[in-house]
Amino acid sequence: MATKKVGAAGKFGPRYGKKLRDNYNKIHKSSKKKYNCPVCAREKSVTRVSFGVWRCKTCKTKFASGAFEFREENFKK
Ligand SMILES: [Zn+2]
């Protein structure tokens, strides 16, 4: 169960240790987050498609960036 305290790592229950579950939460959060598009400058438009692939839902541009986090410095126009 994903409560406020345990976050998305709640599905693991008490398993795998606190540190690992905290880490999973951090990565899960940043991968579900919406990011600003560096091409069309639209806010919160870039979402994660798959491992390292991000897409802007407004201008449909695909980006190769971080695996679990969108980073603009990785992206070349
Ligand atoms: Zn865009």
Side-chain angles (χ1 to χ4, degrees), residues 37-42 45-46 56-61 63:
C37 178
V39 172
C40 64
R42 192 66 62 93
S45 189
V46 178
C56 170
K57 67 174 182 195
T58 310
C59 65
K60 307 275 189 284
T61 313
F63 306 100

Side-chain angles (χ1 to χ4, degrees), residues 9-77:
K11 70 177 180 181
F12 298 135
R15 296 182 295 272
Y16 311 120
K18 174 94 172 92
K19 209 168 183 183
L20 202 139
R21 278 183 276 128
D22 281 351
N23 227 350
Y24 175 84
N25 268 343
K26 219 177 87 188
I27 285 164
H28 182 87
K29 247 187 204 163
S30 62
S31 69
K32 293 288 173 197
K33 225 172 113 183
K34 292 182 176 110
Y35 292 88
N36 301 343
C37 178
V39 172
C40 64
R42 192 66 62 93
E43 279 184 2
K44 291 174 182 169
S45 189
V46 178
T47 50
R48 185 172 179 265
V49 180
S50 64
F51 200 90
V53 182
W54 298 78
R55 198 179 69 132
C56 170
K57 67 174 182 195
T58 310
C59 65
K60 307 275 189 284
T61 313
K62 268 188 182 173
F63 306 100
S65 190
F68 302 108
E69 193 179 11
F70 186 69
R71 274 166 289 163
E72 269 185 53
E73 65 263 31
N74 278 6
F75 160 69
K76 291 185 183 76
K77 275 180 191 174

